[in-house]
């Protein structure tokens, strides 16, 4: 086993009970799946995954009650820390923060990184319609930058009604990630906080395919140079979750820096058959040689998570 899966979710029973008690039974159009550490390890063993870096998916913990969101975030982070303590070879975790409560988010992030040995933090692309990179987020990003933190950006529901018959995970999530990436560059986050290592879920959404079009728009908006903006967009890390297809991979690999593409599955929101399909497509992709597969499977991730070496 050698793979490091940077896009794997945890759903502790306490969290799913909490969501269901508040009328939330699905995330992104997917029913809340069953999860356990044992099931996660079995899935990883099947697909040659040595370590899964776990994160909470949307909706996170913010349900418009700041104190409750902070308490649940702390509980989730302590569960993640215990999993890693028990099985440091099999699990890592991204800490949850209760944005949009900025003070609580800063406290949660610093506590998790400094005291719970989190491998990074997970931030939703938007919270209540405010996209990552908004100037209000600067105090949190500054704290993360000081710690050279890894930031995993996961999509959320768009701040707009869904299209009937089109679950948010199918297309809206990709747009949400693309919006967040664009907003981060629009507000100069990669230049102002250069120590952040930002991973974009699902191959960056539509970003690789539309990067030059987005760059042209940002040049007109900011007056900055074309190549500078394009390089900021290329400077993110990207995971392959649900993106190991013969149409998505060529766009991603043509755009991203070769050392910034990471393996991901999106399990358990992506069911096991889906994980098997996209992993199989990725494994068969002829555009990566053996060294390229080793880089995506493991070596690129070790630059972000050296403890896993």
């Amino acid at each position: 086993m050698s793979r490091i899966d940077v896009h794997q979710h945890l759903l502790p029973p306490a969290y799913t009970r909490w969501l269901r008690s508040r009328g939330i039974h699905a995330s992104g159009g997917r029913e809340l799946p069953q999860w356990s550490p044992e099931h996660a390890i079995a899935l990883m063993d099947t697909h040659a995954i040595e370590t899964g870096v776990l994160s909470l998916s949307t909706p996170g913990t913010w349900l418009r009650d700041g104190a409750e969101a902070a308490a649940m975030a702390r509980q989730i982070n302590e569960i993640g820390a215990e999993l890693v303590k028990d099985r440091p070879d099999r699990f890592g975790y991204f800490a949850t923060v209760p944005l949009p409560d900025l003070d609580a988010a800063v406290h949660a992030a610093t506590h998790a990184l400094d005291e719970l040995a989190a491998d990074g933090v997970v931030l939703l692309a938007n919270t209540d319609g405010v996209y990552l990179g908004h100037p209000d987020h600067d105090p949190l990003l500054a704290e993360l930058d000081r710690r050279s933190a890894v930031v995993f950006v996961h999509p959320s529901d768009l701040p707009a009604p869904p299209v009937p018959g089109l679950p948010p995970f199918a297309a809206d999530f990709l747009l949400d990630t693309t919006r967040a990436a664009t907003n981060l560059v629009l507000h100069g986050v990669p230049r102002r906080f250069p120590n952040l290592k930002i991973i974009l879920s699902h191959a960056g959404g539509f970003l690789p395919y539309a990067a030059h079009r987005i760059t042209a728009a940002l040049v007109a908006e900011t007056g900055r140079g074309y190549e500078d903006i394009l390089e900021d967009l290329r400077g993110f890390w990207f995971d392959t979750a649900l993106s190991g297809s013969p149409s998505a991979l060529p766009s991603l690999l043509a755009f991203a820096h070769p050392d910034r593409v990471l393996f991901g599955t999106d399990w358990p929101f992506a069911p096991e058959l889906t994980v098997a399909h996209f992993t199989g497509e990725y494994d068969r992709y002829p555009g990566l040689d053996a060294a390229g597969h080793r880089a995506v499977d493991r070596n690129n991730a070790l630059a972000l998570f050296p403890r896993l070496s």
Side-chain angles (χ1 to χ4, degrees), residues 128-198:
D128 285 350
V130 177
Y131 273 88
L132 194 59
H134 189 282
D136 287 352
H137 297 153
D138 279 3
L140 173 61
L141 297 178
E143 288 292 339
L144 297 174
D145 184 74
R146 276 191 281 274
R147 290 162 175 78
S148 298
V150 181
V151 177
F152 180 65
V153 178
H154 193 278
S156 186
D157 290 344
L158 291 176
V163 176
L166 182 66
F169 75 84
D172 291 358
F173 272 18
L174 303 177
L175 176 57
D176 202 48
T177 301
T178 306
R179 284 181 170 187
T182 303
N183 202 51
L184 286 164
V185 173
L186 174 64
H187 290 285
V189 168
R191 303 278 170 143
R192 293 188 296 113
F193 303 110
N195 298 315
L196 294 179
K197 304 169 186 70
I198 300 174

